[in-house]
Amino acid sequence: EPATGMEPTALPCLDDLTAHACVSDALPDDRRATVIAHLDGCASCRELVDEVTLGKKLGEATTPLDFGTYRLGAMIAEGGMGRIYRAFDTSLQRDVALKVPRSASPAMMRRFEREAAITARLQHPGIVPIHAAGHTGNGTPFYVMRLIDGRTLDRIVEVSTAAARLALVEHVVAIAETMAYVHD
């Protein structure tokens, strides 16, 4: 909810990882400025950052999440199972994608770890390879993948002409072939 007399910002509310990154000065300067502007107008996000700053979340002590040699950046995607962040691999000096589960429930953690193990065994051009997997100091699982820059699928299918839609058929076939490989 915005503070009195302020317009809500365009940034969506912060998740735990962004709040931790904000408190531990792990956000890039341009992202940090956007987050601070959002915090000015969002009481619930200020409360989350205050909880992280004071070292407590839901009454339990917590520390900023440590991803080892990976420096966390902005969230770039979100799905039913997890959130994907742009990250920087400080040991190999490259940008990567880092995925974490959306929830800390034990069932979600098991599903997430199973997803990582299965995906790591798959070798197909339509599947993003996993470089590494691990756990933060508090036990949160994560895995690291090749970072794919480009347009998202929902942006690609935003075509207006019949010819443009027809040109997408080869991509639909490639997706179907990848899904068939995964299910085999």
Side-chain angles (χ1 to χ4, degrees):
E1 62 192 55
T4 307
M6 297 194 74
E7 294 292 319
T9 62
L11 181 72
C13 285
L14 307 182
D15 57 28
D16 292 353
L17 293 177
T18 304
H20 281 286
C22 183
V23 168
S24 61
D25 290 328
L27 289 175
D29 289 341
D30 59 334
R31 174 85 168 132
R32 186 171 184 73
T34 305
V35 168
I36 289 171
H38 176 79
L39 289 172
D40 286 343
C42 184
S44 62
C45 287
R46 282 194 309 275
E47 184 177 314
L48 173 62
V49 168
D50 288 345
E51 287 176 355
V52 171
T53 301
L54 295 173
K56 60 183 176 182
K57 174 121 171 69
L58 303 176
E60 297 177 3
T62 186
T63 57
L65 297 179
D66 178 10
F67 293 98
T69 63
Y70 303 101
R71 192 168 9 120
L72 200 63
M75 184 171 67
I76 55 177
E78 185 171 18
M81 176 83 67
R83 294 182 176 104
I84 301 175
Y85 293 82
R86 178 179 288 271
F88 185 74
D89 181 345
T90 59
S91 65
L92 295 176
Q93 299 295 300
R94 65 180 176 179
D95 289 320
V96 294
L98 187 144
K99 186 172 184 180
V100 295
R102 284 181 59 130
S103 162
S105 78
M108 178 64 80
M109 298 287 198
R110 284 190 302 276
R111 286 180 55 209
F112 184 87
E113 289 174 331
R114 184 170 183 264
E115 172 187 289
I118 291 170
T119 305
R121 291 192 303 260
L122 300 175
Q123 300 295 316
H124 189 278
I127 299 172
V128 178
I130 292 181
H131 295 314
H135 290 83
T136 64
N138 75 351
T140 301
F142 67 92
Y143 62 89
V144 180
M145 306 169 283
R146 179 177 153 212
L147 179 65
I148 308 289
D149 280 320
R151 295 180 298 158
T152 60
L153 181 60
D154 60 338
R155 299 284 292 170
I156 291 170
V157 298
E158 290 178 345
V159 294
S160 57
T161 66
R165 285 192 297 271
L166 190 56
L168 295 176
V169 170
E170 68 182 90
H171 300 292
V172 172
V173 170
I175 292 169
E177 288 172 347
T178 302
M179 293 303 295
Y181 169 78
V182 169
H183 287 285
D184 280 349

